[in-house]
Amino acid sequence: MKNAHYFDDDTDQVDLKAKYEKPKQPNWLFRRIYILTWIRHYDREKAISDLIAGITLGLTIIPQSIAYAALAGRSSEYGLYTAFIGSIIYVFFGTIPQVSIGPTSLMSLMVLQYCYEKPIEIVIVLAFLAGCVELIMGIFQLGFIVSFIPSAVNKAFTTGTSIIVALCQIKNLLGVKLKGIPTPKAFFENIKVADAIVGITCFLILLALRQLSSVKFKKDSPATRRLKKLLWYISISRNALVVFTCGMIAYFWIQKSSFDAIPITLSSKVDSGIPTIKLPPFAFIHGNRTYVFSDICRELGSGILVVPIVAVLANVAIAKAFVKDGILDASQEMLTLGICNVAGSFFSAMPTCGAFTRSAVSQASGVRTPMAGIYTGIIVLSALSILTPYFQYIPKSSLSAVLIAAVIFMVDFKPLTELWKTNKKDFISWLGCVIVCLAAGVEMGLLYGIILNMIFVLLRLGKPKLEVNLKKCDNLIYVHIKPMSDIYYTGVELIRTEIRSACFLYRNDFPIVLDCSRFMLFDSTFLEMLNAVAKDLRENNVLLILQFFPDKHKEFLNENSNIRFANDRTLSELIVKT
């Protein structure tokens, strides 16, 4: 055979250990300030790709930031503060080029839940405290915690959150100004026709523009390729185009008449200028009340822990979706997210995390390194310094249309049929998590999913599957008990019960062979059980043979004369001898 190599006794031995040793990890400083690992290899090609991706992402993040600030019940500038600081900080510490840190529907929903009708200072302190918790999680390398949240719960959480965001924005989409949950009659009676027309029209246009990226041409030529690229750029810039067009129409309408003459609801006035760097407001006066740090913590309650955990869950899930080599430093992502939130609190930003839709835009735009965030941040800063006087002309219904069009495609009901066929427990987790999210809030839905799956894990550990067979070796018969999953101390009582049942069934006529290859974390509970079982079997003249038992634990059982140790080769000899 061509290129084949045959080895005989005279062939030189290869030093496999030296050749295939594990690559050395970068220096601690390089791993933490991650820009140092790739900036030395940064070239012109990467710079151009990042510039295109950064500009594209900037056009996407500006209208989203305004919309997400509105969802959180805050004015537009706070969404933009969050967008620019997250984009810039991630450049220096982030590990995944595609991840876009900034305001998200999830974080806005959490802010709305914990800070509804509360001073903006409480939102800023929440960002600081969430960042501190995320930093602690990163420093102590608690990235493994995310592994305890199964995929079914993660999907259900995303679906439930998306439905809540869409439902929350329907009132603004149709111009309904009633507080709380109105009755169907009151809801329809208070629909503002002008707002409804603008909102629904914007929503339909956004859906139509979204389809432009999937247009296919019969012929593949340079002209069609250029046209396809143009349609793709229009498609990913659809949010900016719709918001900009609506704002321009409202602006010219007002210039010809007045604010009072326009029939649609507009956004509130936005403070102009770049935010100043200042400490988070740990004490402030609002109205007739003085808030100190303890009062703020009392107002936030469980949000101090729930918000960072939810942010970490979302961020790591997005990072996993875009990581190239399958190796993700979850702890570094936690550290980066923590720094983004802590630094953001000095710029009056809201809590932040990664956004899947923007990350997908980044990926499609050909991003090469996190440097794209610099260009995105510059565009957002330009908008803050130049465009803020014009944000008040943006119709609220158009922002609601942007939010609904963004989250509606994140609602996924496929698990209903898939999980029902494959795993009923995951189906219960998914369905229950969605229902609890809608009924009691996103944090309760997430908590429900985690606790339910932990119960499933504990039940599995407490009741492992065992295979009990009667086998024959050299005309001698024995009872073979083999665990089908890993056995921890929680499952030892089941093993004892199975051994007793087998002895009762076969009237103590055959030796018991227990496969110990799946035994995990040997402790006193394991050893006490084995000694107790051996003692019971000895009273009935039945031998206990432990197959594949670790050598280092044999000394604790050697005193028991009714126990033997064996592997595949010695098992037959041992049984024959017995």
Side-chain angles (χ1 to χ4, degrees):
M1 184 184 295
K2 189 176 180 180
N3 294 330
H5 297 278
Y6 298 93
F7 299 93
D8 52 31
D9 294 338
D10 297 330
T11 306
D12 294 336
Q13 295 293 324
V14 179
D15 188 358
L16 295 176
K17 187 175 181 181
K19 187 175 181 179
Y20 297 104
E21 64 182 355
K22 190 176 180 180
K24 292 182 179 180
Q25 285 192 339
N27 181 275
W28 179 87
L29 183 65
F30 281 64
R31 283 186 286 121
R32 294 298 167 247
I33 307 178
Y34 200 76
I35 189 175
L36 299 177
T37 62
W38 55 264
I39 194 64
R40 293 170 294 173
H41 310 291
Y42 200 67
D43 54 27
R44 182 180 178 182
E45 181 185 351
K46 291 179 181 177
I48 294 173
S49 298
D50 289 342
L51 176 63
I52 295 171
I55 293 173
T56 305
L57 192 59
L59 295 175
T60 304
I61 201 172
I62 290 174
Q64 280 193 347
S65 299
I66 298 169
Y68 291 144
L71 174 60
R74 307 295 157 180
S75 55
S76 302
E77 69 267 23
Y78 292 104
L80 295 171
Y81 296 162
T82 309
F84 98 84
I85 191 63
S87 299
I88 292 175
I89 292 293
Y90 196 81
V91 172
F92 299 94
F93 302 97
T95 62
I96 311 297
Q98 293 84 357
V99 171
S100 171
I101 300 292
T104 65
S105 58
L106 179 58
M107 287 293 99
S108 296
L109 201 61
M110 302 301 287
V111 169
L112 182 67
Q113 182 163 348
Y114 288 103
C115 305
Y116 181 65
E117 293 186 345
K118 293 176 182 177
I120 186 61
E121 289 84 357
I122 292 181
V123 178
I124 297 169
V125 175
L126 175 60
F128 176 82
L129 294 176
C132 290
V133 173
E134 290 155 359
L135 279 173
I136 291 171
M137 293 173 72
I139 290 170
F140 289 97
Q141 298 187 347
L142 301 180
F144 67 91
I145 292 176
V146 181
S147 302
F148 288 95
I149 302 174
S151 175
V153 173
N154 196 7
K155 291 178 181 178
F157 180 70
T158 303
T159 296
T161 305
S162 301
I163 293 174
I164 292 173
V165 171
L167 292 175
C168 287
Q169 291 304 306
I170 286 178
K171 288 200 296 184
N172 286 335
L173 184 78
L174 302 177
V176 178
K177 296 182 179 180
L178 298 176
K179 291 186 177 181
I181 302 175
T183 61
K185 182 180 179 181
F187 180 86
F188 285 106
E189 287 178 351
N190 285 273
I191 291 177
K192 198 172 179 181
V193 177
D195 283 329
I197 292 173
V198 172
I200 294 173
T201 303
C202 289
F203 178 71
L204 294 175
I205 290 173
L206 287 167
L207 294 183
L209 292 178
R210 178 187 173 89
Q211 300 303 317
L212 290 180
S213 60
S214 57
V215 172
K216 294 182 179 179
F217 297 93
K218 294 181 179 180
K219 294 181 180 180
D220 185 17
S221 64
T224 56
R225 284 195 292 268
R226 285 193 296 269
L227 181 57
K228 190 172 184 180
K229 193 72 173 178
L230 176 62
L231 293 177
W232 178 81
Y233 272 116
I234 294 173
S235 177
I236 63 173
S237 303
R238 59 188 178 275
N239 293 337
L241 291 173
V242 167
V243 171
F244 177 77
T245 303
C246 289
M248 289 295 292
I249 293 172
Y251 173 77
F252 287 117
W253 190 319
I254 291 169
Q255 292 301 313
K256 288 184 177 181
S257 55
S258 65
F259 263 105
D260 297 330
I262 193 164
I264 56 178
T265 306
L266 301 180
S267 301
S268 57
K269 191 174 182 180
V270 179
D271 293 334
S272 181
I274 299 172
T276 56
I277 302 176
K278 56 184 178 182
L279 283 171
F282 298 118
F284 62 93
I285 299 173
H286 181 75
N288 297 323
R289 179 179 175 183
T290 300
Y291 289 84
V292 295
F293 185 68
S294 57
D295 296 326
I296 297 173
C297 292
R298 200 176 300 113
E299 290 283 343
L300 292 173
S302 61
I304 297 172
L305 291 177
V306 173
V307 170
I309 290 174
V310 170
V312 165
L313 168 66
N315 213 64
V316 173
I318 292 168
K320 281 183 177 179
F322 291 99
V323 67
K324 286 185 178 180
D325 53 8
I327 302 173
L328 174 65
D329 190 346
S331 297
Q332 176 63 16
E333 286 297 307
M334 289 179 179
L335 282 170
T336 304
L337 190 58
I339 294 171
C340 287
N341 277 307
V342 170
S345 67
F346 286 79
F347 289 88
S348 303
M350 302 187 301
T352 182
C353 69
F356 189 85
T357 51
R358 291 199 303 270
S359 299
V361 168
S362 237
Q363 165 81 354
S365 303
V367 68
R368 299 290 295 277
T369 71
M371 185 64 78
I374 291 288
Y375 309 117
T376 301
I378 291 172
I379 291 175
V380 175
L381 283 174
S382 301
L384 272 168
S385 58
I386 300 171
L387 302 178
T388 44
Y390 303 100
F391 288 157
Q392 61 182 319
Y393 299 104
I394 298 173
K396 279 189 175 182
S397 55
S398 66
L399 295 178
S400 297
V402 168
L403 282 174
I404 295 174
V407 301
I408 195 172
F409 292 98
M410 298 173 68
V411 177
D412 183 13
F413 289 107
K414 288 181 181 178
L416 273 174
T417 54
E418 294 175 355
L419 296 177
W420 178 257
K421 294 177 182 178
T422 57
N423 193 310
K424 298 295 190 295
K425 291 179 180 178
D426 283 344
F427 172 82
I428 294 171
S429 297
W430 186 92
L431 185 61
C433 187
V434 171
I435 293 173
V436 175
C437 277
L438 297 177
V442 290
E443 79 284 358
M444 293 304 297
L446 181 62
L447 187 63
Y448 162 85
I450 294 172
I451 291 176
L452 184 64
N453 278 274
M454 292 301 292
I455 291 172
F456 288 155
V457 171
L458 292 175
L459 290 175
R460 183 178 178 182
L461 292 177
K463 195 175 180 180
K465 292 183 179 180
L466 300 175
E467 188 179 76
V468 181
N469 293 311
L470 203 61
K471 293 189 176 182
K472 188 175 182 181
C473 179
D474 294 337
N475 295 324
L476 293 174
I477 301 172
Y478 64 94
V479 179
H480 189 258
I481 299 176
K482 181 180 180 180
M484 303 308 293
S485 60
D486 293 342
I487 303 292
Y488 294 86
Y489 74 93
T490 52
V492 296
E493 285 302 321
L494 181 64
I495 293 175
R496 178 185 293 186
T497 302
E498 286 294 336
I499 292 175
R500 287 175 176 173
S501 299
C503 291
F504 178 78
L505 178 64
Y506 298 115
R507 302 175 185 177
N508 299 316
D509 289 338
F510 313 114
I512 303 293
V513 177
L514 179 60
D515 188 335
C516 303
S517 59
R518 304 297 295 268
F519 283 19
M520 311 295 291
L521 299 177
F522 282 89
D523 60 0
S524 58
T525 307
F526 259 122
L527 301 174
E528 287 174 6
M529 182 274 292
L530 293 174
N531 277 316
V533 168
K535 184 178 179 181
D536 293 342
L537 295 179
R538 185 174 58 197
E539 294 176 358
N540 296 297
N541 296 319
V542 177
L543 184 67
L544 176 63
I545 302 174
L546 301 181
Q547 189 179 17
F548 307 121
F549 194 84
D551 293 335
K552 61 181 179 180
H553 297 297
K554 289 180 180 180
E555 58 180 307
F556 300 105
L557 301 175
N558 280 334
E559 295 181 1
N560 200 317
S561 60
N562 198 46
I563 293 179
R564 300 290 185 273
F565 304 100
N567 53 36
D568 279 338
R569 293 182 179 179
T570 61
L571 180 60
S572 58
E573 299 175 3
L574 186 59
I575 292 176
V576 171
K577 187 185 293 185
T578 304

